[in-house]
Structure formats: structure tokens, C-alpha cells
Amino acid sequence: MLYAILCYNEEDAVFSWTQDQEAKVMADLTQVQDKLVAQNRLGPVARLLPTTAATTLRKGGEQLVIDGPFAETKEQLLGFYVVDCADLEGALAVARDLAAANPGPGSYEIRPLLLFHPNAALAASAVAGVAAS
Amino acid sequence: MSDLAWIQGAMASARPQAIGALLRYFRDLDTAEEAFQDACLRALKNWPANGPPRDPTAWLIMVGRNAALDGVRKRARNTALPPEEQISDLADVEAPMAERLDGDHYRDDVLRLLFICCHPDLPPTQQIALALRIVSGLSVKQIARAFLVGEAAMEQRITRAKARIARADVAFEAPGPVERSERLAAVAAMIYLVFTEGYSAAGGEARGQFSDEAIRLGRLLLRLFTNEPEIMGLTALMLLQHARTPARFDAAGEVVLLDDQDRSLWNGKMIAEGLALIDKAIRHRRRGPYQVQAAIAALHARAATPADTDWAQIDLLYAALELMQPSPVVTLNRAVAVSKARGPAEALAMIAPLEDRLAGYFHFYGVKGGLLMQLGREAEARTAFDQAIARANSAPEAAHIRMHLDRLMKDGERSA
């Protein structure tokens, strides 16, 4: 089974870390990640920019672009994509394509990434595993 | 993280909203501050024992309000306070309170709190001191140290500023759209003042922390007023400038100019956030001075080396800024971009008409000297640099110009 581990914390605090604090936390986390990579158990790792950098596309009926993060409490996080786009317009275009393919209610919150490790080795083996099961 | 660190963090992030709401109830800054203080003391006692509340901000507002009301009653009737459990027992009221907090006046509370700090009668340093004291919660001691004055003097300044505000007519009802956007503009200017006060501090100076506070306030406004492109621009501008801080001073504390900075020291996290915010702002197609300045800072941030800088684009952005905010200082900055994009002669012609208005300005003569030097007019360059040194505001500024003069002298000796 593949699991996603979603990280929650206060963004104001995290984005006020000094560069030393930042380096320390990242080094400690990298140790855990490296172990998992060696076992070929780690998939993509991403770090998001704060919610102030987010833009949300509301779909279902008339599409609406809203500045800021997804704010509805009656809907839950069900999945995510990582796409490479020239700018926010490009990311919105992808989100609109997804909305056209799945026009029901819901939202796409678009959040730029600060950091991304694809860890592609697992991707290859694990996708085969999921498909087989 | 320890309980105490968590509680202190929660109280710090609740502060602007909580004091803003308490100010709306009591319409008096001192009462609001005391009520918040009181609520924080109770939180320190109550939260470790009972566990943290679901919504710490709502808890602090309610407890602060109850405590202040009890204080008023106590003074009126001189009766004993009810037992602690009654004041802090919020199990029932927390949920509806939290819902009410989500509404619009929550945003307007914070905006009002920031807005009263930028009263036009208050000189900029007092606006900054007041915002840092009331909104950010820095201690008088911290602020005094940053401004290099005694604690008592700073206390007095803040008290006077508060008295000035108390006499002012602050509208407590929710502002209309026009008034709201006027308040936002004034508050944005004040936040940028806080930022530049910190940014102008040399490395290691206590004022440096003001820049971080200003960025925090920018993010707070962004969260409350999500679709204001100028607030995105302001926050982006501060982030992109602040990102360079680790490279702006050398080990001896001397200023390192943009061209000479070690760009690997720039804070990539802040640059990424700043660029993302500009990207968001552009979608609104409502240009403003903060966005344009942020776009200029972004072009510097994107250049891997000084030679990669897109000076032609920076020239165009300064031209746009000149139209929005005509000022000789903007033209002077544009001239630097022009000198790189189209050569020093054109730039020199551009700044010539500014001399009358910038006669007291250090940077004017620094730029003029630099352009004359590039054109090989060394005697005139030397005169301009001497004029710059006479107008320098700090030792590093003067030292920097002296370096140019030394270089001129050496060149002069070599050609002699």
C-alpha cells in the first residue's frame, strides 16, 4: 500500500525560521528520507509555499478563480498533482482542463512548490505494484 | 515543542486579531491591551492544565473581554472578582464565538488596529514604534534599543502617541469599500516604513528584526484581504529585498553593493515566495507602485549574475513607476538602469535636471560621480564624490564613496 503523509504546521512560524534553523530541520529530515530512499520506499517529496501564495479554482457550474487557499470545510483533500508550468496562468490552464474532464463540484487549490524531490525510482516500481494489485 | 513555547506562539499570532476585537468592544487602546494581557496570563495558567482551546484567538478575546468587564464592575462596586473558573470557563461559548470571528469584522478589526497607528499627525518613527508595540507586541525595551534611545524616553513617546490617537476620531463602525481601500493604502505605507527602518539597519543592529515583523504584517494582511494586488506586491517587494540581507554586509560591516553581492547567500525561500506573489498580483491587471517595485526586485532576484540582469526591462518598469509616483528619486534610480542599458551619457543627461531638488541627497552625487567616472571625466567625478561624502548619512556610505575616490586617485597616478 502506498501512503501519503501530509504535513501540517503554522506557516507563519515555519516561514520565519532563520536560515540556520531551516538548515538544521532540513538536514534532520533528509536523514529520514535518505534511509527510505535507500530502501526504495520513498516517492515524491514536496514542500509548498505558504497559503498566501495560493490561488483556488472553484469548479462545478460556473468556474471561479479565488485568491487564497481552499477554504470550504465540507470538502476534503482527495488527491494532488504536481505539474510544471511557466507561471500561475499555466497552472490555472491545467486546472481548467482537469475541471473540464471532471466537471462536478469541488475545487483545485494551486500552490507553488518551494522544493521537489521526485524520487523517481520508487515511482517506476510502485506504479507497477499498484497496477498489479 | 514545549507547552510554553506553543502557548507563546499562539498568543503572538492571536495578538493582532484579539487586540483588534477588544478595541472594538472597549473603544480604548489601553483597556484593549490590558484585557489582552490579562487573558494571556490566564491562558498561561489555564491551558497547560485544561489543554489548549480549539480556537486560541476566540478564547483570548472572550476571556479578555470578561476580565475587562469584571474589572470595570469591580471598580464600580468594589466587590470581589468571581472565582477564576467562571472567567475562563468557555466550554459553551467558544464555538459560536469562533464562527462569528470568521466574519468580515474580524478583518476590519485588524485593519482598524493597524490604521490607528498611521495617524497622519504622528511622525513616521512614532507610527513605527506604535505598530511594533501594539500590533506586533514587541516590548518597549526592544523598541527603545532598536531606536537607540532610553527605555523611559521610548515609553514616553509611545504614551504620547497613544494620547494623540485617543483624541482622534477613529470610526469604529465597519468601513465602506472606499474607506476600506484608503485604510489599506495607509496601512501598506506604514508597513513598508517599518520594513525600510529595519532594512536600513546595518548587519547585527537590533532594528534588523523590524523587517521580519513587517513581512509578518504583510502576510497577515494578505490572509485577510486576499484579492488586493498591491498587498501582494508589497509583501513580494519586502520578501525580495529582505532575501538579499545575508549578502548586503561584509564581515567588517561594510555595505556590499548589489553588483558585488554573493548571490548564493540570497534567501531562496523568500525569493520563491516573492515571485509567486507577483505572479498572483499580475493576474489582476491592476498595476500599482508596490507591484512595479516588486517586479524590479524580481528581475534582480532572477539574474544569476549581475551581467544577466535585464536592465532594459528594469528601465521600462522605472518609467512606469515614474508615471505612477513622479519623484526625482525614482528618476535617479531609473538613470542607473539607463546607464546599464543605454550607456552613461544618456543617464547623466537624465539626472542633470534633478540636481536642484536632490542637492542634499547622498545618492544623487554618488550616482553622478559614478557616471562621470565611466565617461572618463575624472576631475568632475572627484568633485561629485566629495559632494556625496559631505552628504553621507552613515560611515559605511562614506567609506563606499571613498573607495571610488581611491580608485580614481590610483588611476590618476598610473596615467600621470
Side-chain angles (χ1 to χ4, degrees):
Chain A
M1 188 74 188
L2 293 177
Y3 292 91
I5 298 177
L6 310 172
C7 316
Y8 291 87
N9 202 342
E10 270 191 60
E11 59 187 7
D12 257 343
V14 171
F15 278 82
S16 307
W17 282 343
T18 63
Q19 270 168 307
D20 288 346
Q21 281 172 299
E22 172 87 26
K24 164 93 172 80
V25 174
M26 292 320 268
D28 290 350
L29 289 174
T30 304
Q31 284 198 357
V32 179
Q33 292 173 19
D34 284 349
K35 231 182 287 170
L36 293 165
V37 169
Q39 298 165 352
N40 197 19
R41 290 169 61 206
L42 191 67
V45 173
R47 197 165 163 204
L48 310 181
L49 282 176
T51 56
T52 45
T55 306
T56 300
L57 178 77
R58 268 225 78 90
K59 61 178 190 136
E62 203 183 332
Q63 287 182 9
L64 198 58
V65 177
I66 304 160
D67 286 296
F70 173 73
E72 297 292 325
T73 46
K74 57 183 195 297
E75 293 163 340
Q76 287 76 37
L77 175 66
L78 297 178
F80 66 90
Y81 298 85
V82 175
V83 278
D84 187 9
C85 307
D87 55 19
L88 178 58
E89 274 315 331
L92 277 166
V94 174
R96 287 195 183 97
D97 284 348
L98 294 169
N102 178 11
S107 294
Y108 295 116
E109 175 182 322
I110 296 158
R111 197 94 83 82
L113 296 193
L114 177 59
L115 194 138
F116 183 64
H117 296 308
N119 294 321
L122 173 74
S125 61
V127 168
V130 169
S133 63
Chain B
M1 202 192 293
S2 71
D3 271 2
L4 188 66
W6 185 87
I7 290 173
Q8 278 168 343
M11 291 191 306
S13 62
R15 186 181 173 98
Q17 282 97 337
I19 294 193
L22 291 165
L23 179 67
R24 174 161 43 84
Y25 292 137
F26 296 111
R27 306 199 167 195
D28 175 71
L29 205 47
D30 282 328
T31 312
E33 272 193 291
E34 273 164 36
F36 179 72
Q37 213 55 49
D38 218 339
C40 287
L41 287 175
R42 285 170 209 268
L44 283 171
K45 255 193 285 176
N46 187 300
W47 294 1
N50 299 347
R54 214 165 352 127
D55 184 341
T57 307
W59 193 98
L60 289 165
I61 293 170
M62 281 305 275
V63 169
R65 192 169 81 142
N66 290 351
L69 286 174
D70 279 317
V72 172
R73 270 180 229 133
K74 190 184 171 200
R75 275 194 293 279
R77 289 184 289 146
N78 204 17
T79 51
L81 276 178
E84 171 70 29
E85 314 82 73
Q86 282 179 27
I87 296 181
S88 310
D89 183 13
L90 290 174
D92 306 334
V93 287
E94 202 188 302
M97 182 67 200
E99 267 165 298
R100 257 181 292 149
L101 269 179
D102 277 337
D104 274 355
H105 55 222
Y106 186 42
R107 318 185 303 166
D108 289 328
D109 283 348
V110 175
L111 185 58
R112 181 185 306 111
L113 188 65
L114 283 160
F115 181 67
I116 60 169
C117 299
C118 31
H119 192 283
D121 285 358
L122 297 176
T125 50
Q126 282 191 20
Q127 294 185 14
I128 296 169
L130 209 56
L132 291 170
R133 175 71 206 99
I134 298 171
V135 189
S136 302
L138 263 60
S139 70
V140 173
K141 194 173 166 184
Q142 282 174 301
I143 301 168
R145 196 182 304 148
F147 279 112
L148 305 174
V149 299
E151 209 177 321
M154 183 50 76
E155 181 83 65
Q156 204 177 25
R157 251 189 242 178
I158 290 176
T159 308
R160 245 185 266 138
K162 276 191 193 164
R164 181 69 202 81
I165 284 171
R167 288 198 304 276
D169 209 14
V170 182
F172 280 93
E173 56 278 11
V178 175
E179 198 183 357
R180 188 177 286 130
S181 83
E182 282 168 3
R183 285 185 178 192
L184 257 182
V187 163
M190 188 270 289
I191 291 177
Y192 195 53
L193 264 182
V194 174
F195 178 80
T196 48
E197 190 67 35
Y199 194 67
S200 64
E205 269 184 56
R207 264 184 307 154
Q209 65 178 317
F210 292 2
S211 304
D212 294 313
E213 277 308 322
I215 289 171
R216 218 188 303 266
L217 293 175
R219 288 206 197 100
L220 172 67
L221 276 191
L222 262 184
R223 242 174 258 131
L224 297 173
F225 300 89
T226 49
N227 56 356
E228 294 288 338
E230 273 294 84
I231 301 300
M232 299 172 198
L234 168 70
T235 311
L237 173 62
M238 296 191 293
L239 285 162
L240 292 168
Q241 289 187 319
H242 199 34
R244 296 183 211 138
T245 296
R248 284 176 58 226
F249 299 95
D250 64 15
E254 305 277 312
V255 180
V256 182
L257 285 191
L258 192 56
D259 275 5
D260 306 322
Q261 288 174 9
D262 175 357
R263 296 183 178 218
S264 70
L265 297 176
W266 289 359
N267 185 326
K269 204 164 86 168
M270 287 187 186
I271 290 175
E273 191 182 345
L275 295 177
L277 286 174
I278 294 178
D279 209 4
K280 271 181 76 167
I282 288 171
R283 279 198 54 254
H284 288 266
R285 305 191 191 289
R286 270 169 33 215
R287 266 193 177 194
Y290 291 120
Q291 290 169 75
V292 173
Q293 292 174 81
I296 293 169
L299 287 172
H300 288 301
R302 284 203 165 106
T305 70
D308 297 327
T309 312
D310 187 349
W311 289 108
Q313 190 63 33
I314 292 179
D315 174 19
L316 288 176
L317 287 166
Y318 271 121
L321 190 60
E322 268 182 315
L323 290 176
M324 291 173 193
Q325 277 187 337
S327 124
V329 174
V330 173
T331 307
L332 182 66
N333 285 328
R334 186 181 171 196
V336 175
V338 166
S339 78
K340 307 266 191 179
R342 296 184 252 150
E346 212 166 315
L348 194 63
M350 189 174 229
I351 66 164
L354 307 177
E355 185 147 5
D356 284 349
R357 278 176 297 164
L358 295 179
Y361 192 49
F362 161 78
H363 284 293
F364 175 80
Y365 290 101
V367 170
K368 186 181 175 188
L371 294 173
L372 287 165
M373 196 163 76
Q374 286 178 56
L375 290 166
R377 291 156 65 176
E378 288 173 12
E380 291 164 273
R382 214 165 291 158
T383 311
F385 283 140
D386 283 338
Q387 286 167 306
I389 287 178
R391 290 161 180 80
N393 303 304
S394 66
E397 277 183 359
H400 186 78
I401 295 294
R402 235 168 252 129
M403 191 186 77
H404 283 305
L405 274 173
D406 290 348
R407 207 177 291 162
L408 272 180
M409 295 276 281
K410 270 185 223 138
D411 289 350
E413 279 160 25
R414 228 178 293 137
S415 54

